[in-house]
């Protein structure tokens, strides 16, 4: 393993790398070309946009596969900032970058000098050199926060704005942000991506009405005999094997083996979550283990129990179904594993999940001395439809591919409210996680704590590239 100093570099092997910064930090990344500029907002990977081609952020770990970055990308800059916006980095421990290779072996480590006045640190960059890729330690301080950093890298960032209340026919703001508000707009300081997608008829806005029956499957490898005792020891109920999860796991393991690398998305651009929903399994909660190396199910489960993060997925009490598959890569003999964990989507479960988001939102308002928001079924219908649309058409934006905006969608749902605000997020696995992420983002927080708002609707949908999509709609 290489211990790097500022300016030091190390060549990188092929395949997906894990770039981890443990501690009270937010990790983000900027994908750029030789000019040092992003091509669009989709090149900014952060907690509310955790996925881009070749990059996936989950918690404190950025999984990066340089070979799968979007066309023309030659550099990825890894950025860290304080997870608590009110705490400057100078008052935190010094962040340490840990990089591991595709087999999980330590590759490099870097600890920069302790920051002083800086609010953001450019910690390292992965860059193309000739026919290969290298990692360079940076450790450069940045005083203007993520918004200023984004501007310098060419990300389109909206400025804070305020407009007087407008009738429903007034022209909405001309630029989407990650918190869209019509009338008395509140723009956030980070960018909002829009991923191009093929045109498709938007899904129905109604809640699911079919309770999905379990599709049982045999367990020839004795996987349940390994995982259910571990779950029981953690106080979690047992899981059952579902044939649809097994099918999706097998397809994804084969895709990884064919490419010779781990990844949430295959070389075909299809994510493991999309493979699952393609089998007909609609989920309320989902988790996955993507691993190479173990030779037996027992070794695989032992690997999944090694760390808090992977152990948390195996122990998660929300899951009721599982499916596991492994495929051997022909050239090297490496074995690629995919385990999927899920609970099925039901009308009652969806209602509970969305109600929990409302409850957590109102708790935040109560802490700020604000009145709770009432549930508006029309806002909920529009929010649920937008989350489902983002899943179905693989985009993530306040503006749909045909141009409709939050106030258009709420009006189409039958709402006559004159002031509309919207928060969206993707990739978060629980109501608590998504509300925490919104509260840690200035613009989203402003929508949640806006005194003028009186009602709310929440929509969740599972699937798509990021796995989960959330929408909050506010009205007054």
């Amino acid at each position: 393993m290489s211990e790097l100093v500022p300016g030091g570099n190390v060549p990188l092997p092929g395949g997906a790398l894990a770039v981890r910064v443990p501690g009270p930090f937010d990790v983000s990344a900027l994908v750029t070309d030789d000019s040092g500029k992003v091509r669009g907002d989709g090149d900014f990977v952060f907690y509310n946009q955790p996925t881009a081609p070749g990059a996936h952020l989950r918690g404190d770990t950025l999984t990066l596969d340089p070979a799968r970055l979007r066309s023309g990308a030659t550099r990825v800059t890894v950025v860290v900032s304080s997870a608590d916006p009110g705490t400057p980095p100078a008052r935190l421990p010094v962040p340490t970058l840990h990089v591991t290779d595709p087999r999980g072996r330590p590759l490099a480590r870097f600890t920069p000098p302790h920051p002083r006045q800086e609010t953001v640190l450019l910690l390292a960059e992965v860059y193309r050199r000739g026919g290969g890729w290298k990692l360079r330690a940076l450790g450069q301080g940045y005083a203007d926060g993520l918004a200023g950093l984004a501007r310098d890298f060419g990300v389109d960032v909206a400025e804070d704005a305020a407009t007087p209340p407008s009738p429903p026919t007034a022209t909405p703001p001309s630029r989407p942000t990650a918190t869209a508000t019509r009338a008395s707009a509140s723009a956030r300081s980070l960018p909002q991506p829009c991923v191009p997608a093929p045109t498709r008829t938007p899904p129905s806005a109604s809640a699911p009405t079919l309770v999905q029956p379990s599709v049982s499957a045999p367990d020839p490898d004795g996987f349940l005999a390994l995982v259910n005792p571990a779950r029981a020891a953690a106080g979690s109920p047992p899981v059952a094997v579902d044939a649809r999860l097994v099918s999706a796991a097998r397809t994804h393991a084969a895709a990884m083996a064919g490419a010779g690398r781990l990844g949430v998305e295959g070389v075909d651009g299809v994510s493991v979550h999309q493979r699952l929903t393609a089998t007909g399994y609609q989920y309320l909660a989902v988790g996955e283990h993507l691993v190479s190396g173990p030779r037996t199910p027992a070794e695989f489960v032992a690997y999944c129990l090694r760390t808090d993060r992977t152990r948390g997925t195996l122990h998660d009490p929300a899951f009721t179904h599982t499916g596991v598959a492994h495929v051997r890569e022909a050239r090297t003999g490496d074995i690629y594993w995919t385990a999927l964990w899920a609970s099925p989507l039901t009308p009652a479960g969806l209602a509970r999940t969305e109600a929990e988001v409302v409850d957590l939102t109102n708790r935040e308002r109560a802490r700020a001395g604000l009145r709770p928001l009432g549930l508006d079924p029309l806002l909920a219908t529009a929010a649920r439809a937008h989350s489902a649309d983002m899943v179905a058409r693989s985009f993530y934006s306040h503006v749909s591919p045909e141009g409709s905006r939050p106030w258009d969608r709420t009006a189409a749902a039958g709402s006559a409210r004159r002031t509309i605000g919207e928060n969206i997020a993707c990739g978060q696995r629980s109501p608590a996680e998504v509300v925490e992420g919104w509260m840690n983002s200035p613009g989203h927080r402003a929508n949640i704590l806006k005194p003028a708002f009186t009602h709310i609707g929440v929509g969740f949908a599972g699937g798509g590239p990021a796995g989960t999509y959330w929408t909050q709609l506010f009205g007054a």
Side-chain angles (χ1 to χ4, degrees):
M1 182 181 69
S2 299
E3 291 279 358
L4 298 177
V5 298
N9 63 77
V10 61
L12 297 175
L17 309 166
V19 180
R20 180 171 177 257
V21 185
F25 305 103
D26 277 336
V27 181
S28 52
L30 291 142
V31 181
T32 60
D33 53 26
D34 287 334
S35 71
K37 301 292 186 181
V38 299
R39 178 178 292 177
D41 291 347
D43 283 347
F44 195 2
V45 179
F46 63 106
Y47 48 81
N48 264 342
Q49 181 179 284
T51 302
H56 181 76
L57 178 65
R58 186 169 184 185
D60 60 8
T61 302
L62 175 71
T63 301
L64 185 63
D65 190 343
R68 296 186 58 221
L69 295 171
R70 55 94 171 156
S71 174
T74 59
R75 190 176 308 268
V76 179
T77 303
V78 180
V79 181
V80 293
S81 56
S82 171
D84 177 8
T87 304
R91 293 170 53 188
L92 298 175
V94 181
T96 297
L97 180 83
H98 301 264
V99 182
T100 55
D101 69 11
R103 293 181 177 271
R105 296 172 299 196
L107 182 66
R109 184 168 59 192
F110 171 58
T111 303
H114 199 288
R116 295 183 180 180
Q117 303 299 321
E118 299 86 353
T119 58
V120 171
L121 289 177
L122 308 186
L123 204 53
E125 61 183 6
V126 173
Y127 62 101
R128 187 163 61 196
R129 180 67 69 195
W133 291 80
K134 303 182 78 172
L135 170 76
R136 177 185 291 122
L138 297 176
Q140 300 173 4
Y142 206 97
D144 294 338
L146 282 175
L149 173 70
R151 291 188 189 95
D152 280 2
F153 275 76
V155 177
D156 186 19
V157 178
E159 299 292 340
D160 289 344
T163 59
S166 307
T169 56
T171 302
S174 61
R175 182 178 356 181
T177 65
T179 57
T181 306
R182 180 177 189 255
S184 300
S186 173
R188 76 168 301 202
S189 59
L190 290 179
Q192 163 58 40
C194 181
V195 182
T199 300
R200 189 183 306 170
T201 301
S204 169
S206 61
T209 57
L210 176 65
V211 177
Q212 305 168 79
S214 177
V215 181
S216 60
D219 182 25
D221 293 328
F223 186 59
L224 293 184
L226 296 168
V227 301
N228 278 336
R231 287 175 62 85
S236 299
V239 291
V241 174
D242 188 287
R244 293 163 296 185
L245 274 68
V246 174
S247 175
R250 185 180 298 114
T251 301
H252 197 71
M256 293 191 300
R261 57 176 179 261
L262 299 173
V264 174
E265 289 187 359
V267 293
D268 55 2
V270 180
S271 75
V272 67
H273 313 106
Q274 290 169 305
R275 299 189 201 282
L276 178 53
T277 55
T279 68
Y281 190 102
Q282 292 180 289
Y283 57 79
L284 188 63
V286 68
E288 65 281 335
H289 287 111
L290 310 176
V291 179
S292 67
R295 299 286 168 173
T296 66
E299 288 182 9
F300 172 73
V301 172
Y303 178 90
C304 295
L305 291 170
R306 281 174 49 192
T307 67
D308 289 343
R309 183 168 61 88
T310 56
R311 185 166 54 247
T313 300
L314 191 149
H315 286 167
D316 195 325
F319 299 138
T320 59
H321 294 131
T322 189
V324 66
H326 59 277
V327 174
R328 186 183 299 274
E329 199 271 313
R331 184 176 59 84
T332 65
D334 289 341
I335 299 178
Y336 286 80
W337 295 79
T338 298
L340 286 169
W341 312 82
S343 61
L345 181 69
T346 65
L350 179 62
R352 284 194 304 270
T353 296
E354 294 172 348
E356 187 174 349
V357 174
V358 174
D359 179 63
L360 291 169
T361 298
N362 278 333
R363 290 185 194 182
E364 296 295 344
R365 287 178 65 88
R367 290 190 185 100
L370 299 172
R371 292 181 178 179
L373 300 170
L375 181 63
D376 184 326
L378 296 179
L379 293 179
T381 295
R384 189 175 292 160
H386 188 55
S387 290
D389 193 20
M390 289 191 289
V391 166
R393 297 198 280 178
S394 300
F395 75 97
Y396 176 65
S397 176
H398 293 291
V399 183
S400 73
E402 59 274 355
S404 71
R405 297 172 183 265
W407 31 92
D408 302 320
R409 294 189 291 270
T410 54
S415 174
R417 299 194 181 277
R418 296 171 63 85
T419 301
I420 294 295
E422 182 178 82
N423 287 344
I424 60 174
C426 64
Q428 294 79 7
R429 301 301 175 96
S430 70
E433 186 179 345
V434 73
V435 173
E436 180 183 11
W438 280 328
M439 288 300 294
N440 286 334
S441 163
H444 296 95
R445 180 186 179 95
N447 266 350
I448 288 173
L449 301 183
K450 187 178 180 66
F453 286 140
T454 58
H455 289 80
I456 186 174
V458 172
F460 165 85
T468 59
Y469 291 77
W470 307 80
T471 301
Q472 276 183 322
L473 275 171
F474 305 90

